[in-house]
Amino acid sequence: MKAIDFLGLRVTQAEIEPAAGGSVESKLAAATYFKAIALATAISYKANALAMCLFRVYKNGKEVNDDLWYRLNVEPNDNQNAAQFWCELVEQLCMRGDALVVPVGDRFYVADSYSREEHPLEQDIFSGIVIGNANLIKKYRAGECMFFKLANKNISSYVESMLDSYSTLMAAAMAAYKATCGQKYKLVMERSMSGSLKDEGETEAMLKRNLTTFIDNANAVYFETKGARLEPVKAENAVEPTDISDLRKEIYDSAAIAFKVPKSVMYGDMTNMGDLVNTMLTFSVDPEAKMISDEVTRKNFPPDEIMTGSKVKVDTTTIKHIDIFDAAASASQLVSYGVFTINDVLKALGYEPVGDDLANKRLITKNLGAVEDVLRDANQGGEL
């Protein structure tokens, strides 16, 4: 699906072509592309980040790779892989404020459209569900599907309204720039044209042709008659290209703020990227990851299993690129302090675990131990 189509803009080439005289309305259609690209860029960062996450499934406190794990991480349905599925869900979530996932058999599908019948003291009812070109007759109760909702559902409408205003300003700036960036002339005549209306029309048409040829071509000759002269007209309050660039920046910045994406990330600025990614994870990705984790958990496990350690956790640590050589010292400390097993570290680094039993045991260096054990050893040795 194209970004323009997804955002509901559907701007056609015919709408972009300027009308005679270059009206502001024709420029508005072109200006909406700035809005579409800004929104698509901000949302794609969030969607791609969450699509890179690993969905860890735990049963009774132990991590397992079962059918649910396969659906969440590999193939939610026959037509999508997991990355495509989660990107679509996050895009819907950002633009609508909510998203619905319905199970059909043992497959998961993101609904393109649906109606929600709210019942505060009972389960909500979802009906009129459309998936692609398929209309589902079945009505789903809230407990039969997964419903994701942002804390502030109206954020998408706020962003749309705000960026619409910027698009209007951009359209006006583009129209003004076109009107003032070129060179204009005035034809000064010491006397008015005489003759019949037909003669005057023919003379005016001839002058227009001559002037158009003279202005539009790099090498041209203009025949100036006695009693007439061509003078350049200086545009007042001309719009500069920087004015349009500033408006474009405002559109991008507004989209970045709304979706909590660092501005430098929006512009592809690689300076201090590690800190920027951490900021984005904290404020833009982790809240949605927690919400998705909770919803998938409560809809796939009964309460008694959840209380004994069964859950689904969206692991956002897999988003960051990890250089094995940069992480070597930290990985060594995690193993030597007994925080992670060797296989835990291998999986965190993106490598396959090994089959050695020792790799699944927690290890600790000999110079670490309980306080009482250290004191006892020191007293036996005569020194601390």
Side-chain angles (χ1 to χ4, degrees), residues 172-182 184 233-244:
M174 291 170 67
Y177 176 71
K178 183 176 181 180
T180 59
C181 69
K184 296 185 181 297
V233 177
K234 184 178 180 181
E236 299 293 337
N237 301 320
V239 175
E240 300 294 333
T242 53
D243 297 330
I244 297 177

Side-chain angles (χ1 to χ4, degrees), residues 26-83:
S26 64
K27 296 293 185 293
L28 182 58
T32 54
Y33 275 112
F34 288 99
K35 165 188 167 183
I37 295 172
L39 285 174
T41 301
I43 292 172
S44 67
Y45 274 116
K46 291 172 67 76
N48 291 334
L50 279 163
M52 291 174 63
C53 294
L54 176 66
F55 285 72
R56 299 187 184 275
V57 179
Y58 297 86
K59 285 189 176 180
N60 298 321
K62 294 184 178 180
E63 188 173 359
V64 298
N65 291 357
D66 58 1
D67 290 340
L68 178 59
W69 179 92
Y70 180 78
R71 291 301 173 201
L72 297 176
N73 289 284
V74 182
E75 187 184 36
N77 57 67
D78 294 334
N79 299 316
Q80 289 180 306
N81 58 43

Side-chain angles (χ1 to χ4, degrees), residues 247-268:
L247 275 174
R248 183 188 68 86
K249 184 176 183 300
E250 287 290 333
I251 292 175
Y252 269 69
D253 289 351
S254 298
I257 293 171
F259 292 105
K260 301 180 179 66
V261 176
K263 296 178 183 178
S264 297
V265 174
M266 284 283 288
Y267 293 108

